[in-house]
Amino acid sequence: MIFVFAGFMMMAVTVALTDWRRGWLLALLVAVLQDPTRKMTAGTPVALTMSVVVIYFVVLFSAQRQMQEGFAEFSRRINRVWTAVAMMLFFIGLAALNGLFTYGLQHWKVPALSLFIYCSPLPAVILGFIYAQREEQIVHFLRFYAVVTTIALIGTPLEYLGFQNGAIGLVGMPESYVRHLPGIQIKVLSGFYRAPDIMGWHAATLASIGVIMALRGRLFAKAWPWLLVAGWGFFNTLISGRRKAIYMFAVFGMVLVWRYFKRLQFAQVMSFVLGALMLFAITRYTAQSERGGVYARGATTTRSEVLQRLEGGFIGTIQTFGVMGAGLGTATQGVRHLLGSDQNIGWQEGGLAKLAIEVGVPGVLAAAVLLFVLFRTLLRITSAPDLPGSTQLMRVSLFAMFVTNVVQFMVSAQAYSDAVLTLLTAFFLGCLFATGVLDERYAREAAKTEPAPATTLTPATA
């Protein structure tokens, strides 16, 4: 298996060097294949989880000229965002030094890995900004992602039904993992992905894309296949055993309705209604089955639980580690592989608490400023009506996905130590920024294709 995967990696690198757009699509395939390959390789080497990063950097190298031009255009148009990013990077740099003091120079790789995880998504924003030269390219990417993820999620129902295979299940835990809630025990499922949080993220994203494409199809004849895709993704979030995946999809739906409700047409409303009925039927069917009943009961929560998850241990972190926190790497998933017998001191699961221990309260405040600037900019972008080459529906949909990921990060920071999730989130954000200038790019392309006006020579006059 490892040799087949290595051959595919070499092919993906070759394609990425010649065509970075196709290379980025192949990175999605690598992202799916790397997890089952790791499970089926002796010792489950953690380095395989970073395989997608290799393709990512090859894509950046291949697109370096366009990246430079895109960075200049992005900085010129949205300079306030980069100012906030620069402030955040300053505190991340301080946190990296703090991490060196926490772990010592002998474990310098721990803050270095965390610094890499924090900074590597930034070029992906520019990659998304230059990738979307037309809205059709965003749609093509969403379709490709939907096809790949729809197939990859087959592993989750197989695990749900008790199918045994080395490529299925939680990495490094063939005996599976069981969550204990009051009165019930839930076996969390990950399918072909390495962890339930990762699988749940992809399932919720697939369900969101299904809704986007169904609304974009407008007519029911074009919408119903995508409603099935949304239902397939939702079913996988339900049986993942992770409530955060279900609520991720719920937040997407609420934001989409909030920003696009006034523009909904009758056919789109009907798609919404039919989609809601289908999700209700899936939930009811799962709840009534003997095997799926625990998953349906485990999806319920209370308001106090939601608030507790959003807080995520933020106050306790400050009380324990102080205003400046303990430095980078203290709450980053995966650094335990670099610490050897030592244990990571971070216990935080929520995003706020993770930031508090790694970058301190000043870093959290810088992140809040960055988020505020981003939201102001994105609200302005999503308020624009349909323009030549760009629709408000796509802008609002990408915005809903971004908000969903912000909330998901606040609830669970562990998944965002995964390179695939952070890179895709940053890429979609870059595509959203690009939708604000697609009308200008469309006009430039139209001007290139229009025939040049006839010119007449005028006689010279003395």
Side-chain angles (χ1 to χ4, degrees):
M1 181 67 179
I2 185 66
F3 296 106
V4 175
F5 180 70
F8 184 81
M9 282 279 295
M10 293 178 61
M11 185 269 291
V13 167
T14 303
V15 173
L17 286 172
T18 56
D19 188 341
W20 64 269
R21 292 180 182 276
R22 286 192 173 90
W24 183 237
L25 295 179
L26 289 178
L28 280 180
L29 294 177
V30 171
V32 172
L33 295 175
Q34 66 183 15
D35 286 349
T37 301
R38 179 186 173 188
K39 296 176 189 178
M40 299 179 69
T41 302
T44 62
V46 69
L48 283 174
T49 307
M50 304 298 287
S51 299
V52 68
V53 178
V54 176
I55 311 301
Y56 171 59
F57 278 112
V58 174
V59 168
L60 295 181
F61 175 80
S62 180
Q64 56 183 306
R65 182 179 62 81
Q66 294 93 330
M67 290 285 291
Q68 293 171 0
E69 295 174 354
F71 178 77
E73 182 183 7
F74 187 94
S75 301
R76 185 176 66 255
R77 293 178 177 273
I78 320 176
N79 55 354
R80 291 182 180 178
V81 172
W82 279 132
T83 303
V85 169
M87 181 173 63
M88 184 66 195
L89 289 176
F90 171 77
F91 288 107
I92 289 176
L94 290 180
L97 295 176
N98 194 11
L100 283 177
F101 287 109
T102 298
Y103 288 110
L105 291 177
Q106 70 274 19
H107 289 307
W108 64 269
K109 293 181 180 180
V110 173
L113 174 63
S114 186
L115 180 65
F116 172 79
I117 291 174
Y118 274 96
C119 295
S120 59
L122 292 178
V125 177
I126 305 301
L127 185 67
F129 187 72
I130 66 173
Y131 184 92
Q133 296 296 312
R134 301 183 307 275
E135 185 169 301
E136 289 75 13
Q137 291 174 319
I138 303 177
V139 174
H140 178 261
F141 184 86
L142 295 179
R143 284 174 177 161
F144 184 82
Y145 176 89
V147 171
V148 171
T149 307
T150 297
I151 297 173
L153 286 177
I154 293 175
T156 311
L158 290 177
E159 185 182 5
Y160 173 75
L161 296 173
F163 185 79
Q164 300 292 326
N165 187 273
I168 294 177
L170 194 63
V171 63
M173 294 184 66
E175 69 280 2
S176 74
Y177 174 73
V178 178
R179 289 179 61 213
H180 297 273
L181 296 176
I184 56 174
Q185 294 180 340
I186 302 176
K187 177 184 176 182
V188 295
L189 307 178
S190 56
F192 290 127
Y193 296 93
R194 68 181 180 91
D197 283 12
I198 310 301
M199 187 280 292
W201 186 94
H202 285 287
T205 302
L206 176 66
S208 301
I209 291 175
V211 172
I212 295 170
M213 300 302 290
L215 293 178
R216 194 173 183 274
R218 298 183 186 274
L219 298 177
F220 180 73
K222 297 181 179 179
W224 73 264
W226 288 106
L227 291 177
L228 295 180
V229 170
W232 172 246
F234 177 76
F235 174 69
N236 280 272
T237 65
L238 195 60
I239 64 173
S240 68
R242 309 302 286 175
R243 289 178 293 188
K244 62 193 74 174
I246 302 173
Y247 301 146
M248 180 179 172
F249 178 56
V251 170
F252 168 83
M254 289 188 290
V255 175
L256 183 64
V257 171
W258 165 50
R259 296 298 292 171
Y260 200 71
F261 180 76
K262 295 181 180 179
R263 293 292 308 276
L264 287 175
Q265 299 178 1
F266 177 77
Q268 293 173 323
V269 172
M270 291 303 300
S271 295
F272 251 121
V273 172
L274 292 174
L277 291 174
M278 178 186 63
L279 298 183
F280 174 77
I282 292 173
T283 304
R284 184 175 178 82
Y285 172 78
T286 305
Q288 291 180 343
S289 66
E290 181 179 355
R291 190 188 299 268
V294 293
Y295 292 97
R297 293 198 301 273
T300 60
T301 187
T302 64
R303 182 182 300 179
S304 61
E305 286 180 299
V306 173
L307 295 176
Q308 183 180 5
R309 296 290 301 201
L310 290 175
E311 192 270 343
F314 176 74
I315 297 175
T317 297
I318 297 175
Q319 292 173 342
T320 304
F321 299 99
V323 174
M324 296 305 297
L328 291 190
T330 52
T332 299
Q333 190 179 26
V335 297
R336 59 185 177 84
H337 298 285
L338 302 176
L339 291 173
S341 59
D342 297 328
Q343 294 295 319
N344 198 13
I345 64 176
W347 45 264
Q348 293 74 8
E349 186 176 359
L352 283 177
K354 174 185 176 179
L355 285 176
I357 189 176
E358 293 205 323
V359 302
V361 175
V364 173
L365 294 177
V369 171
L370 173 59
L371 198 60
F372 175 76
V373 173
L374 275 175
F375 266 82
R376 285 193 61 184
T377 304
L378 297 179
L379 285 175
R380 188 166 61 249
I381 291 175
T382 56
S383 63
D386 290 351
L387 298 169
S390 176
T391 63
Q392 188 181 16
L393 175 60
M394 183 57 67
R395 289 192 291 274
V396 170
S397 299
L398 292 173
F399 175 69
M401 293 176 67
F402 172 72
V403 174
T404 295
N405 281 284
V406 171
V407 175
Q408 175 77 344
F409 172 75
M410 292 180 65
V411 173
S412 174
Q414 291 183 355
Y416 286 87
S417 295
D418 182 82
V420 179
L421 271 57
T422 54
L423 293 180
L424 280 177
T425 300
F427 175 78
F428 286 137
L429 179 60
C431 290
L432 174 54
F433 280 121
T435 60
V437 296
L438 288 184
D439 57 328
E440 299 180 20
R441 294 175 178 176
Y442 178 84
R444 287 198 297 265
E445 290 297 322
K448 292 179 182 179
T449 58
E450 290 179 357
T455 58
T456 58
L457 296 177
T458 56
T461 56

